[in-house]
Amino acid sequence: MELTQRLHVLVPAAGSGSRAGTSKPKQYQALAGMPLVVHTLKAMALIQGLDSLNVVVSPGDNQMGGVLQCHPSLSQVRVWPVGGETRAASVGAGLQALLDHGAAPGDWVLVHDAARCLIQAPWVEELIRCCRDDAVGGLLALPLPDTLKQADATLRVRATLERTDKWLAQTPQMFRLGLLQNALKHAGSSVTDEASAIEAQGLQPLLVRGNALNFKVTYPEDLLLAQCVLQARSQENPA
Ligand code: CTP
Ligand code: MG
């Protein structure tokens, strides 16, 4: 895939995984024989036309280096120990590291949660195809499949909301590096995805239909589901 601007991937992996109920941070939890983040990085490494693959870890992280050493196919991954208190802070610090090490503000960056370990390169390539000529950028997302309820304070249904125009935001989210860095600086640390920061600038990111299997491993049951999918894939395509 030919792009005029360079294309970087930034994977935030500096969280503690408190909701996953694992003894270590979920990105290092073994799934189908490999740490969760290795599945994520291996899939992202297959994207056509990538210029750099980067992962953000917390400053005290002492696991990523060893994990990557065990997987020679990931030798090109650059590790930035600049993670912050929130996902937005980790992404902001990672973007700054890229800019400080030769990336240009006009380059594209694909920010992808380490915790979405079932991502597949063709899904990302479709996002790139849809966004490469776009002035704003966009994200993988899924039309809401279920009926949407609004709750009151006592957890009783206040209303059923129209769902036809509602989408679940996934990652990767693809924006120009300088635009995103500036948007995140203004949005502060509470935004939970890149698109929210871009929206706060008055811009409208493009929604590109993703895949339900690109869910984020958040709760213990997600680990079980991800493990089943990874095992099924390895039976379909034995190494
Ligand atoms: N993340 C990060 N820095 C943070 C918080 C999160 O880089 N301070 C990363 C996580 O490692 C994960 C992604 O952002 O890959 C999505 O965040 P989430 O699923 O919320 O992960 P955690 O914050 O680790 O989990 P929890 O909220 O359950 O503690
Ligand atoms: Mg979190």
Side-chain angles (χ1 to χ4, degrees):
M1 210 171 328
E2 278 292 312
L3 268 95
T4 12
Q5 294 88 4
R6 282 179 295 174
L7 184 68
H8 309 280
V9 164
L10 184 70
V11 174
S16 59
S18 56
R19 289 171 289 176
T22 49
S23 53
K24 51 184 143 183
K26 65 186 173 188
Q27 55 271 33
Y28 296 118
Q29 181 67 29
L31 276 187
M34 285 188 282
L36 185 152
V37 66
V38 171
H39 293 286
T40 310
L41 293 171
K42 282 191 171 207
M44 297 304 277
L46 294 176
I47 299 165
Q48 291 289 311
L50 209 60
D51 291 288
S52 79
L53 179 50
N54 304 272
V55 60
V56 176
V57 299
S58 63
D61 184 292
N62 57 9
Q63 297 187 67
M64 187 62 79
V67 162
L68 293 178
Q69 264 178 9
C70 296
H71 298 277
S73 68
L74 295 179
S75 60
Q76 82 277 32
V77 174
R78 300 193 295 178
V79 182
W80 305 103
V82 295
E85 282 293 303
T86 62
R87 183 183 178 285
S90 296
V91 171
L95 295 177
Q96 192 57 51
L98 296 193
L99 287 167
D100 291 345
H101 290 81
D107 289 352
W108 287 109
V109 62
L110 290 159
V111 180
H112 181 66
D113 292 327
R116 293 183 194 269
C117 58
L118 300 181
I119 188 70
Q120 301 269 273
W123 304 342
V124 185
E125 286 160 2
E126 175 63 8
L127 175 70
I128 296 169
R129 196 184 64 73
C130 293
C131 293
R132 55 196 286 182
D133 297 320
D134 195 84
V136 178
L139 62 149
L140 288 183
L142 212 56
L144 194 69
D146 299 324
T147 303
L148 187 61
K149 302 292 185 190
Q150 183 176 27
D152 70 12
T154 66
L155 290 191
R156 293 205 169 260
V157 174
R158 173 175 293 160
T160 297
L161 304 178
E162 175 62 46
R163 76 155 181 233
T164 50
D165 61 349
K166 308 283 187 307
W167 291 64
L168 295 166
Q170 301 182 336
T171 69
Q173 302 202 356
M174 175 172 170
F175 297 104
R176 287 195 178 75
L177 225 165
L179 173 75
L180 180 57
Q181 174 72 324
N182 186 48
L184 282 170
K185 269 185 193 152
H186 283 92
S189 58
S190 62
V191 289
T192 51
D193 74 347
E194 289 62 54
S196 318
I198 298 287
E199 292 154 41
Q201 298 287 303
L203 298 169
Q204 292 190 284
L206 182 67
L207 293 164
V208 177
R209 196 186 175 114
N211 189 294
L213 289 182
N214 185 26
F215 61 85
K216 183 164 69 68
V217 170
T218 305
Y219 298 106
E221 59 268 34
D222 300 324
L223 285 161
L224 188 64
L225 207 54
Q227 164 114 334
C228 292
V229 174
L230 290 167
Q231 280 167 349
R233 283 181 185 167
S234 71
Q235 278 160 15
E236 278 166 25
N237 303 302

